[in-house]
């Protein structure tokens, strides 16, 4: 957190709001779950579930434990695949969350974490060759974002922020608007991590003015 600028004064009027100050241990307010593929030293692919990421144009920003196996892999080989999960995959994701590609298991890991050399096998998934990077994709996951790492910023408290540029996108055909590069939001049902509980999406509430897909199977692309 940055300090409050000294040249301004913070208003102190008590408006009697219904909010209460709390100190939660995590800030997992509900983000989509992905599984990140990185290259092990042996040349095999490691898989790890993540939820701390976002995308802006082709830029992916990913939050990771700085001392973790996934970051070590990325420092050695700066390529990744971000495989996005749909709701049906939550049990495989939960299984992978208790595994690490690091051997021996680092002491920072939660108790019960076990080493797994073959994360694909552990999750019941099948590797698929990528088109632009060496780490493999996960066949069973509906969306694959292949990306090249452009930087890793180490933060306090053993956190790392990874910056990567997406260079290839593969999506299950049935989730797209036929003949276009648009994903149909009515069909794509991401797995959401909400304070360590798994959810899907609720029903659509409305359509933004900037939406490109406005009805099932129809696109209106604005300039
Ligand atoms: C749903 C879910 C989301 C997670 N999100 C993250 C995350 O965003 N960043 C992170 O560093 N770890 C996250 N984890 C924990 C890692 O998946 C876990 O530490 C795993 O053991 C990492 O594997 P590795 O040691 O082979 O890198 C998440 C776990 C689960 C189950």
């Amino acid at each position: 957190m940055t300090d409050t600028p000294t040249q301004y004064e913070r208003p102190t009027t008590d408006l009697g709001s219904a909010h209460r100050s709390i100190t939660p241990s995590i800030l997992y307010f509900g983000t989509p779950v992905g599984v990140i593929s990185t290259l092990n030293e042996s040349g095999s692919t490691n898989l790890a579930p993540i939820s701390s990421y976002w995308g802006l144009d082709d830029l992916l920003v990913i939050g990771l434990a700085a001392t973790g196996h996934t970051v070590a892999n990325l420092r050695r080989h700066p390529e990744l695949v971000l495989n996005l999960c749909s709701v049906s995959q939550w049990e495989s994701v939960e299984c992978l969350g208790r595994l690490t590609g690091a051997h021996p298991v680092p002491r920072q890991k939660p108790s019960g974490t076990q080493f797994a050399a073959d994360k694909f096998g552990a999750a019941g998934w099948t590797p698929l060759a990528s088109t632009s990077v060496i780490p493999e994709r996960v066949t069973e996951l509906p969306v694959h974002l292949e990306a090249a790492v452009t930087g890793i910023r180490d933060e306090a408290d053993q956190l790392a922020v990874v910056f990567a540029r997406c260079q290839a996108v593969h999506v299950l055909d049935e989730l797209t608007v036929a003949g276009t590069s648009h994903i149909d939001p009515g069909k794509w049902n991401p797995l959401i991590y909400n304070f360590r509980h798994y959810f899907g999406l609720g029903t659509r509430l409305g359509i933004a003015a900037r939406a490109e897909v406005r009805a099932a199977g129809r696109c209106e692309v604005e300039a």
Side-chain angles (χ1 to χ4, degrees):
M1 300 282 175
T2 52
D3 293 335
T4 307
T6 49
Q7 67 268 42
Y8 301 110
E9 277 190 26
R10 183 168 53 84
T12 54
T13 316
D14 181 0
L15 297 175
S17 100
H19 300 79
R20 184 165 66 84
S21 296
I22 62 170
T23 51
S25 58
I26 49 171
L27 298 173
Y28 298 171
F29 279 87
T31 45
V33 176
V35 171
I36 184 170
S37 303
T38 57
L39 199 68
N40 289 319
E41 202 165 5
S42 65
S44 64
T45 294
N46 186 59
L47 301 178
I50 59 167
S51 61
S52 303
Y53 71 87
W54 49 267
L56 182 67
D57 287 345
D58 64 346
L59 173 67
L60 294 173
V61 181
I62 303 168
L64 291 169
T67 55
H69 186 70
T70 295
V71 168
N73 279 355
L74 290 172
R75 292 190 207 276
R76 186 183 342 95
H77 184 87
E79 290 185 333
L80 61 89
V81 182
L82 183 53
N83 307 271
L84 306 189
C85 306
S86 62
V87 286
S88 61
Q89 275 118 6
W90 77 268
E91 283 163 305
S92 293
V93 166
E94 179 60 13
C95 161
L96 281 180
R98 295 191 216 119
L99 302 176
T100 179
H103 189 271
V105 176
R107 58 179 173 75
Q108 297 95 335
K109 286 285 187 189
S111 67
T113 304
Q114 293 185 334
F115 166 69
D118 177 12
K119 300 264 193 94
F120 281 96
W125 291 338
T126 326
L128 179 66
S130 297
T131 60
S132 70
V133 296
I134 297 178
E136 294 163 307
R137 301 182 268 158
V138 180
T139 307
E140 287 77 5
L141 298 193
V143 179
H144 309 143
L145 310 177
E146 299 180 8
V149 174
T150 55
I152 300 177
R153 181 183 159 121
D154 285 291
E155 283 284 321
D157 303 321
Q158 302 191 328
L159 299 175
V161 183
V162 174
F163 299 87
R165 290 284 173 167
C166 183
Q167 52 197 27
V169 178
H170 312 276
V171 182
L172 273 187
D173 191 40
E174 66 197 40
L175 298 179
T176 65
V177 178
T180 76
S181 271
H182 295 290
I183 292 162
D184 188 334
K187 294 179 182 160
W188 168 230
N189 194 7
L191 176 62
I192 301 294
Y193 202 43
N194 180 11
F195 284 96
R196 294 199 171 114
H197 292 233
Y198 296 100
F199 281 80
L201 293 181
T203 51
R204 176 174 21 216
L205 302 175
I207 303 179
R210 298 186 58 174
E212 293 173 325
V213 177
R214 306 201 64 85
R218 275 186 47 221
C219 293
E220 292 172 16
V221 182
E222 293 170 5

